[in-house]
């Protein structure tokens, strides 16, 4: 059986990135081009890598998780396109390139986001249709799809985006800041890990440990993004730095200061790594990702 490294998951994912984007009628080719523009502009692919790794970790078949890995990256990419729109964060740079609406206009960018979101659900449903005569395999896929629907919905990133918008120009409580980070960022990371796990055969303890890992990683991920927005460069982030303070966002450095934010980033990383410590070297992909992230935010 093949042992995958972080790079192997990424390479496999990149090979299949466009597999579940439906062939559109030539008359709608601008929609296709606009979706492809954002998808293929080189994100870090953290969520699909986590999904493939969690499936593998829980004894599932990595190649069979590809429709779900693509679905989560399509949803993530749609959320970035919409987040960058003038009516939201009004950003002009993403993944090191002009944002979708700068290239294709606001209306097309909105529709590219919509198209990516529905392509995600189409990919998962098309896969489930193949397993009607295998109830166990079908159940695993329904569970995985449910995790992704939940993380991307109005208790997940959409709620996070609303809370993030409404917290602009206000002083937020610590509780509110945690809520924003848990929904805006951690929800899709938790969805990636849990969906991948569901495609394998995890026992309750393993699923719980992976969830603790993902929640802590998700919070650490957002704190790292907040720190880089203050201290990082445009080149490092692929987007304009300093925008949180321009937009008067609720952020960790804003509420706790940089030093405290870095401490919290380290504590969250330790908690994430500890959650999987009993699995030793087998959890290397997960622990390396968490540790590399903490280094980025240092
Ligand atoms: C539902 C419109 C809508 C938005 C949801 C995801 C989101 C909320 C907003 C996007 C902006 C943002 C700062 C989100 C926080 C999560 C985050 C740090 C996203 C960037 O993810 P990376 O670093 O990006 O994985 P790449 O480009 O590498 O894929």
């Amino acid at each position: 059986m093949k042992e995958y490294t972080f790079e192997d998951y990424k390479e496999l994912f990149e090979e299949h990135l466009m597999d579940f984007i439906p062939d559109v009628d030539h008359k709608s080719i601008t929609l296709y081009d606009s979706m492809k523009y954002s998808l293929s502009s080189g994100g870090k692919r953290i969520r699909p890598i986590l999904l493939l790794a969690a499936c593998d970790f829980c004894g599932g078949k990595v190649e069979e998780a590809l429709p779900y890995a693509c679905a989560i990256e399509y949803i993530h990419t749609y959320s970035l396109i919409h987040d960058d729109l003038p009516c939201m964060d009004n950003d002009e740079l993403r993944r090191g390139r002009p944002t979708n609406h700068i290239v294709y206009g606001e209306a097309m960018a909105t529709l590219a986001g919509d198209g990516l979101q529905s392509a995600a659900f189409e990919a998962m449903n098309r896969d489930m249709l193949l397993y009607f005569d295998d109830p166990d395999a079908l159940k695993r896929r329904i569970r995985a799809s449910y995790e992704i629907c939940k993380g991307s919905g109005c208790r997940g990133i959409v709620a996070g985006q609303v809370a993030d918008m409404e917290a602009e120009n206000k002083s937020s409580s610590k509780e509110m800041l945690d809520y924003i980070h848990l929904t805006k960022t951690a929800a899709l990371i938790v969805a990636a890990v849990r969906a991948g796990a569901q495609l394998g055969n995890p026992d309750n303890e393993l699923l719980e440990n992976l969830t603790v890992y993902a929640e802590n990683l998700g919070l650490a991920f957002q704190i790292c993004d907040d720190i880089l927005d203050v201290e990082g460069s445009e080149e490092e982030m692929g987007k304009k730095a300093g925008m949180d303070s321009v937009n008067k966002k609720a952020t960790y450095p804003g509420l706790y200061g940089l030093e405290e934010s870095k401490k919290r980033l380290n504590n969250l990383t330790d908690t994430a790594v500890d959650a999987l410590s009993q699995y030793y070297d087998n959890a290397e992909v997960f622990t390396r990702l968490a540790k590399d992230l903490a280094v980025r935010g240092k």
Side-chain angles (χ1 to χ4, degrees):
M1 209 173 76
K2 179 173 165 68
E3 275 203 19
Y4 285 85
T5 62
F6 186 92
E7 286 71 25
D8 292 333
Y9 291 125
K10 185 157 193 233
E11 200 183 312
L12 178 71
F13 176 71
E14 293 291 353
E15 275 168 26
H16 292 273
L17 173 69
M18 297 302 291
D19 285 8
F20 303 93
I21 295 297
D23 290 334
V24 295
D25 189 292
H26 195 76
K27 295 184 230 26
S28 304
I29 199 72
T30 322
L31 170 66
Y32 179 87
D33 288 346
S34 158
M35 295 193 300
K36 189 172 174 208
Y37 173 80
S38 289
L39 265 183
S40 49
S41 50
K44 294 183 288 301
R45 315 304 193 197
I46 301 290
R47 297 155 191 81
I49 291 171
L50 280 169
L51 189 146
L52 296 175
C55 168
D56 205 7
F57 197 56
C58 295
K61 293 196 182 115
V62 175
E63 308 247 345
E64 291 184 7
L66 282 165
Y68 303 83
C70 287
I72 207 148
E73 186 67 12
Y74 296 171
I75 288 168
H76 168 60
T77 305
Y78 116 72
S79 80
L80 299 180
I81 297 174
H82 281 193
D83 183 65
D84 290 334
L85 285 170
C87 63
M88 300 235 185
D89 277 1
N90 196 17
D91 273 313
E92 294 181 359
L93 196 67
R94 170 71 68 182
R95 292 177 166 171
R97 297 211 286 176
T99 43
N100 197 297
H101 66 270
I102 294 293
V103 180
Y104 291 95
E106 264 182 75
M108 190 57 69
T110 308
L111 292 163
D114 295 339
L116 282 168
Q117 180 166 215
S118 57
F121 298 118
E122 194 175 332
M124 294 189 288
N125 279 277
R126 201 176 83 186
D127 183 64
M128 286 183 248
L129 286 172
L130 302 173
Y131 290 88
F132 271 22
D133 55 359
D134 184 346
D136 282 340
L138 182 61
K139 264 187 219 160
R140 286 198 288 277
R141 283 161 175 80
I142 293 171
R143 287 197 191 107
S145 165
Y146 174 67
E147 297 290 349
I148 292 174
C149 293
K150 200 169 124 190
S152 60
C154 51
R155 281 180 295 167
I157 60 171
V158 179
Q161 183 75 347
V162 170
D164 185 72
M165 272 166 37
E166 291 188 338
E168 277 178 23
N169 296 311
K170 282 186 197 149
S171 62
S172 296
S173 65
K174 293 178 176 175
E175 192 195 349
M176 187 63 185
L177 188 64
D178 277 342
Y179 174 75
I180 293 173
H181 284 24
L182 274 170
T183 46
K184 180 173 89 165
T185 311
L188 213 51
I189 290 180
V190 171
V193 170
R194 286 182 58 96
Q198 299 287 13
L199 292 167
N201 194 16
D203 60 28
N204 288 342
E205 191 193 352
L206 177 53
L207 188 60
E208 179 53 29
N209 290 335
L210 281 168
T211 306
V212 173
Y213 164 82
E215 280 170 356
N216 283 278
L217 179 75
L219 285 174
F221 199 82
Q222 185 56 50
I223 294 175
C224 181
D225 198 72
D226 287 358
I227 294 172
L228 285 175
D229 188 77
V230 180
E231 292 192 321
S233 63
E234 185 170 302
E235 203 187 3
E236 209 174 343
M237 299 178 73
K239 60 178 182 175
K240 278 205 168 129
M243 292 308 284
D244 289 342
S245 88
V246 172
N247 292 326
K248 300 202 168 48
K249 292 274 184 193
T251 66
Y252 256 85
L255 199 61
Y256 292 87
L258 270 174
E259 276 323 296
E260 196 51 38
S261 301
K262 289 180 186 184
K263 263 192 222 156
R264 179 124 161 94
L265 170 61
N266 283 328
N267 289 340
L268 288 162
T269 306
D270 289 346
T271 312
V273 170
D274 282 353
L276 300 181
S277 61
Q278 62 176 289
Y279 309 103
Y280 308 103
D281 293 347
N282 295 336
E284 163 84 23
V285 170
F286 300 105
T287 48
R288 187 182 130 194
L289 201 153
K291 286 178 186 167
D292 286 355
L293 183 78
V295 171
R296 272 190 88 211
K298 271 209 173 116

